[in-house]
Amino acid sequence: MATQQQSVVLDANILINLLNMNQLPILPELKQYKFLTPNHVMVEVHRRSQRLKLRKAIKAGWFEEFEITDMVEIELYAQYRTRFGSGESACMAAAVTHGWIVASDERAVKRETSARLGPGNFLGMKDILEIAVKAKVLEQARFNELCQRFEFLS
């Protein structure tokens, strides 16, 4: 029996960090997850070269882009928008509506997501990389190197 994939909605900081670490290709290798990002997040990626790489990854099926169209999502988005950025708000609105996991490195997003959905429904960048190590998609030595190189992983 095949295991069902858990949906993970990616915030801009996760996508940008994956690009900066040259680790975006780990996403399709983490077969237990289906990765998605709202179009609001794509707008937050300002560097043209990064946007082009993300578009290529979407075309390759590494993750999906979606729009917030459900009325419940739209209402939640509007509520979150008073306290959070557009991308974070869209990620949380979709996660709350669909029971998805939120991937972000914003502490306030972690607090809100954990309070609303439970602590198991949040992943930070380090969590994603640790999952990749456990899945043998990322070598432990490379993980250690990334942790030393990028302060936010410490």
Side-chain angles (χ1 to χ4, degrees):
M1 187 170 126
T3 58
Q4 186 175 352
Q5 290 181 307
Q6 291 181 285
S7 293
V8 178
V9 62
L10 302 162
D11 191 13
N13 54 39
I14 296 292
L15 289 170
I16 291 168
N17 288 337
L18 285 168
L19 286 168
N20 290 340
M21 292 185 286
N22 294 315
Q23 294 301 313
L24 194 63
I26 69 172
L27 293 181
E29 300 302 319
L30 300 176
K31 305 291 187 200
Q32 70 269 43
Y33 298 106
K34 175 182 179 181
F35 294 99
L36 308 106
T37 197
N39 58 345
H40 298 78
V41 165
M42 295 300 286
V43 171
E44 292 181 342
V45 178
H46 299 292
R47 289 187 184 160
R48 184 177 185 273
S49 62
Q50 290 179 329
R51 279 195 315 273
L52 291 173
K53 287 178 183 176
L54 292 175
R55 290 276 168 230
K56 280 177 116 174
I58 290 169
K59 282 185 180 179
W62 292 3
F63 67 96
E64 295 176 18
E65 182 180 11
F66 69 94
E67 289 187 41
I68 301 259
T69 56
D70 181 90
M71 285 309 294
V72 173
E73 283 177 316
I74 293 169
E75 288 175 18
L76 281 169
Y77 172 81
Q79 290 171 19
Y80 282 133
R81 197 64 184 93
T82 64
R83 295 182 10 228
F84 298 97
S86 180
E88 291 100 354
S89 297
C91 287
M92 290 187 294
V96 169
T97 303
H98 301 287
W100 294 346
I101 297 168
V102 174
S104 177
D105 273 335
E106 299 290 335
R107 287 186 189 150
V109 172
K110 180 178 183 176
R111 279 192 302 271
E112 178 65 25
T113 301
S114 296
R116 194 81 185 250
L117 295 169
N121 283 56
F122 182 87
L123 295 171
M125 186 72 258
K126 190 171 185 178
D127 300 317
I128 293 170
L129 295 176
E130 286 172 341
I131 290 166
V133 170
K134 287 179 188 164
K136 300 193 184 328
V137 172
L138 180 67
E139 292 182 13
Q140 184 68 50
R142 179 69 174 136
F143 172 79
N144 295 341
E145 178 187 317
L146 291 169
C147 287
Q148 287 178 344
R149 186 166 171 221
F150 294 94
E151 291 179 15
F152 62 86
L153 293 174
S154 302

